[in-house]
Amino acid sequence: MAPRPSAIAGYDDWPAYVRNNPRHQAPTAAAQELSDALGVPGAGELPEVTVHWEETYDGATTSQLSWQLGFGPRTTAWLVRPAGSTGPLPGVLALHCHGGNKFGGADRLVDLPENHPSAAAARSGLYEGRALATDIARRGFAVLAHDTFSWGSRKFDLSTPPWRTGSATAARQAQWREDGVVPSDADQYNAAAGFHEDTAAKAAGLLGTSLAGMVAHDDLAALDILATLPGVDAGSLGCIGFSGGGGRSLALAALSPRIRAAVVTCMMTTFESLFPAYLDAHSWLLQTPGLWRLGDWPELTARSAAARFLVQYALADELFPEEGMRQAHQMLESLHSGSDDYSGSFWPGGHVFTAAMQDEALDFLAHTLAARPASTTSQGPS
């Protein structure tokens, strides 16, 4: 009998890394509790960053970077700055969404000379056609957008899928044939990755970590890299994310005191509101086993040492009940009463980071991190 293919191909060195780096050392007890609940592994030395190319167009200078973490494939990232910028700039980590699209990652956030069709489709469908990281850079920021654990350059090798993933993918391919659909390479990978996420989460749990903990590991490394890049003000850093990226933004702000401003878009509710009808709307990024024992999702903001939060809610968001979002908003207002550490805005429409919402988020980052002000300001409806 032929041997079964690896269930973690491309990451065969992952178990040893987690065993040898058992725990991330957070700066506060509150952050350490979250880190331990997610099972964030400790990091090794800061990796060496390679610059592959740099181009300037449409008011922004974009550099493609890469680095090698202690396990898995090499990370690809993009640094975007205002064209002709000099001196230290406030920095922002732009965190890509889940989107059911693991073929790509941060490329959906960056205006590149050539974007893969899957990145263009994600941008069109979820970001109203805008390149979020590039737009932020044009406002006076140094923006780093990186592929995180299991996305884009950091994706698993599913060319020979493991047993369960292969069985499920075969059924999907049969349906495509019946429907006369010719799937793209991204379609085929994303179908397999959707099934494989359960396998990755099981492997993470067995290792004493979680999918969200591994993503946080990669995000913390990217944040440390951003802080050390030339021309970046390490004392003025923020993060922004939509959907799964919003969850990453909240976790990063709670885990690292470097974060001064965090935008969480379309990723806020109470855990209770997910039961029973909304549980299957979400990935393992949100639903880490045992996380609720630390408190509710909005309460994680109180574990941040230094961040101010903008939370944006979409009233017709198909992934969250309106009641849960409004309960979360009330909880956040109570938690941060007497301070300006929290602001929330409710928007019409579904699970999309609209241009108007992005404008509000950029104004918040500019105000909080003291970047160049905008010529116009969009406000969300209350």
Side-chain angles (χ1 to χ4, degrees):
M1 179 181 294
R4 283 189 179 179
S6 171
I8 55 170
Y11 279 91
D12 293 298
D13 52 356
W14 175 26
Y17 181 87
V18 175
R19 287 197 300 268
N20 295 332
N21 297 272
R23 191 169 79 163
H24 168 68
Q25 298 298 308
T28 66
Q32 191 66 58
E33 282 187 330
L34 175 59
S35 177
D36 291 345
L38 297 178
V40 183
E45 295 182 1
L46 195 67
E48 180 179 347
V49 176
T50 299
V51 180
H52 296 278
W53 54 258
E54 181 174 291
E55 293 188 18
T56 298
Y57 45 92
D58 290 341
T61 297
T62 304
S63 306
Q64 187 185 69
L65 314 178
S66 72
W67 56 82
Q68 180 63 59
L69 297 174
F71 66 102
R74 193 171 181 86
T75 300
T76 296
W78 290 269
L79 176 67
V80 193
R81 297 158 290 159
S85 62
T86 59
L89 298 171
V92 171
L93 202 63
L95 305 166
H96 63 75
C97 63
H98 187 302
N101 178 6
K102 290 189 168 183
F103 180 85
D107 55 345
R108 70 195 66 172
L109 304 180
V110 185
D111 189 7
L112 297 172
E114 292 186 19
N115 272 112
H116 191 278
S118 69
R123 185 181 303 169
S124 175
L126 298 173
Y127 296 88
E128 208 165 303
R130 292 174 61 167
L132 178 64
T134 304
D135 283 352
I136 297 171
R138 293 191 182 109
R139 285 288 298 268
F141 294 92
V143 185
L144 184 64
H146 67 287
D147 295 340
T148 199
F149 175 82
S150 78
W151 272 266
S153 58
R154 290 281 280 168
K155 61 180 176 285
F156 286 85
D157 179 1
L158 300 180
S159 56
T160 304
W163 180 63
R164 286 184 180 273
T165 301
S167 297
T169 304
R172 178 66 59 83
Q173 290 171 337
Q175 187 63 55
W176 278 328
R177 288 193 296 270
E178 183 178 332
D179 294 341
V181 173
V182 179
S184 67
D185 53 352
D187 292 334
Q188 294 187 67
Y189 183 86
N190 288 330
F195 300 119
H196 183 261
E197 186 170 301
D198 287 346
T199 299
K202 285 190 289 188
L206 187 62
L207 292 170
T209 178
S210 65
L211 182 67
M214 295 309 306
V215 167
H217 167 276
D218 280 23
D219 292 347
L220 286 163
L223 181 63
D224 286 343
I225 288 169
L226 174 62
T228 62
L229 291 175
V232 175
D233 180 358
S236 186
L237 300 179
C239 56
I240 182 172
F242 157 73
S243 190
R248 294 167 61 194
S249 185
L250 173 52
L252 189 62
L255 290 168
S256 175
R258 289 188 185 274
I259 297 296
R260 303 289 176 178
V263 178
V264 179
T265 301
C266 293
M267 189 49 74
M268 182 57 68
T269 192
T270 61
F271 284 137
E272 186 173 6
S273 72
L274 298 177
F275 287 85
Y278 288 82
L279 286 169
D280 64 352
H282 298 280
S283 77
W284 288 98
L285 268 183
L286 176 61
Q287 295 170 160
T288 297
L291 184 59
W292 200 350
R293 294 177 183 175
L294 291 189
D296 214 329
W297 183 243
E299 293 176 318
L300 295 184
T301 61
R303 295 178 181 271
S304 172
R308 293 174 59 189
F309 290 89
L310 169 65
V311 178
Q312 296 175 310
Y313 309 83
L315 286 168
D317 195 327
E318 57 271 28
L319 303 188
F320 302 104
E322 181 179 342
E323 179 183 4
M325 291 187 284
R326 293 201 179 275
Q327 288 172 344
H329 175 60
Q330 292 171 0
M331 188 180 297
L332 285 163
E333 286 191 317
S334 178
L335 280 169
H336 300 281
S337 176
S339 76
D340 59 356
D341 290 344
Y342 167 73
S343 58
S345 60
F346 286 83
W347 294 80
H351 194 73
V352 178
F353 199 2
T354 65
M357 295 168 78
Q358 291 176 53
D359 288 341
E360 181 191 51
L362 268 61
D363 287 344
F364 167 80
L365 291 171
H367 175 74
T368 307
L369 301 176
R372 186 174 69 245
S375 58
T376 60
T377 301
S378 295
Q379 299 293 334
S382 60

